[in-house]
Amino acid sequence: MEVKTYLITGGAGFIGSHLADALLTAGHRVLVLDDLSTGSRRNLAHLDQHANFECVIDSVLNRARLAELIGRADAVFHLAAAVGVRLIVESPVRTIETNVKGTEIVLELASTAGTPVLITSSSEVYGKGARVPFREDDDLVLGNTKTGRWSYACSKALDEFLALAYVREKHLPAIVVRLFNTAGPRQTGQYGMVLPTFVRQALAGRPITVYGDGTQRRCFGYVGDVVGALLQLIDCREAIGGVFNIGSDEEVTIGELASRVKALTGSASEIVRIPYEQAWDEQFEDMQRRIPDLTRIRDLIGFRPVTRLTEIITRVIEHEQRLG
Ligand code: UDP
């Protein structure tokens, strides 16, 4: 196997740190760039002594630093972004700037260096599209510009446009992935993510907070499955210029998720319904259903999500119990 050097922007985050683990396990070298805005040094602490690992704490908006790191890399996984509905709604300027400017700089520098790059977009770009499952060629259905949430969808859509423009115009080998709800150990509930939030509430015996009526549905992909797909895609020539959904297509209602977390933790927590107006300050729009159509990535690399929801919940519980 050829040993390569990969740069992971946002590598101290939940998904980035698992990606670093997988690349190092496969024998590669890993450079991480992270400003620790939402990522955590703790996610990488176990790698500090690893000979093939290096972590730089800085922003992707630091062009000189990024240029130096891209110059040392054989390929880039661009994961650095504002993430989490709570953060997006509360800090829209930061969301738009990080997501748009950051990706702009990554693409520009990767293009100058001729370095392949994988851009992580999000299922948020499908917006409130009602026809499920979502296919990559579907229209994007976004709401008005006063609702903070759509700025995130729009910023990610712009990242996609720019990446695909670089492929066409500058022949940059770029790949776009749309990550659906991803879950697993190390994900923090701090920015709104539902599964770690429910697990922490259940373990602490606090009420489990289901927003709305709990009939909204999601599919949770296991971070290990998602990372496996990212590794395969970056090595796949046919993936260049493509957009790929990644996630799981096993659906669950949020109400049912709360019940399962309660049962699997053996918690005495009460499950409470919180109206959206109470959970969010501003006018808030939630998505009712979000299922990925995984045909494209399955046809290209044979991807199938293998980790079932119960297993994912169990691993998150074990992780949170270890943290104490
Ligand atoms: N949610 C909830 N309680 C919480 C946090 C989230 O009921 O404490 C709901 C949220 O309204 C949404 C779903 O769980 O319907 C998934 O939320 P998350 O922020 O994890 O991801 P999203 O799919 O909204 O990006």
Side-chain angles (χ1 to χ4, degrees), residues 51-270:
N52 288 341
F53 176 72
E54 190 180 324
C55 179
V56 175
I57 306 302
D58 207 336
S59 165
V60 280
L61 303 179
N62 183 340
R63 181 182 289 267
R65 179 74 70 134
L66 188 60
E68 183 241 320
L69 292 172
I70 289 180
R72 293 168 55 198
D74 295 300
V76 180
F77 290 98
H78 178 47
L79 275 71
V83 71
V85 174
R86 171 94 30 213
L87 181 68
I88 289 154
V89 169
E90 285 168 6
S91 315
V93 173
R94 174 162 145 206
T95 300
I96 299 170
E97 287 195 339
T98 311
N99 291 4
V100 175
K101 280 192 200 154
T103 304
E104 207 176 284
I105 300 174
V106 167
L107 287 168
E108 187 196 319
L109 295 174
S111 176
T112 307
T115 308
V117 50
L118 182 146
I119 300 287
T120 47
S121 179
S122 163
S123 57
E124 281 276 327
V125 299
Y126 290 105
K128 42 189 168 178
R131 205 186 60 187
V132 287
F134 294 148
R135 299 175 54 146
E136 291 88 343
D137 293 335
D138 285 348
D139 289 341
L140 311 184
V141 188
L142 306 185
N144 69 52
T145 50
K146 283 203 170 154
T147 306
R149 177 169 204 154
W150 304 120
S151 70
Y152 179 77
C154 242
S155 69
K156 285 292 185 181
L158 193 57
D159 288 351
E160 294 195 16
F161 277 121
L162 197 60
L164 298 177
Y166 265 97
V167 174
R168 264 194 304 272
E169 226 178 291
K170 315 267 187 195
H171 309 292
L172 173 70
I175 301 163
V176 173
V177 299
R178 291 181 181 159
L179 302 182
F180 281 65
N181 295 71
T182 306
R186 297 184 202 153
Q187 185 174 39
T188 159
Q190 223 178 325
Y191 309 106
M193 276 76 165
V194 68
L195 185 53
T197 301
F198 282 2
V199 168
R200 277 180 208 185
Q201 289 170 335
L203 289 176
R206 286 185 278 120
I208 302 176
T209 53
V210 172
Y211 298 161
D213 64 6
T215 59
Q216 71 272 36
R217 295 186 243 181
R218 292 293 187 275
C219 303
F220 294 89
Y222 185 60
V223 65
D225 294 343
V226 171
V227 159
L230 299 182
L231 293 191
Q232 272 185 278
L233 277 178
I234 199 98
D235 277 338
C236 179
R237 285 212 64 77
E238 296 75 37
I240 292 170
V243 176
F244 300 91
N245 289 338
I246 307 183
S248 160
D249 44 14
E250 180 189 352
E251 252 195 317
V252 66
T253 67
I254 296 302
E256 164 68 15
L257 183 72
S259 303
R260 286 220 222 165
V261 168
K262 181 174 155 84
L264 288 165
T265 48
S267 170
S269 290
E270 186 192 352

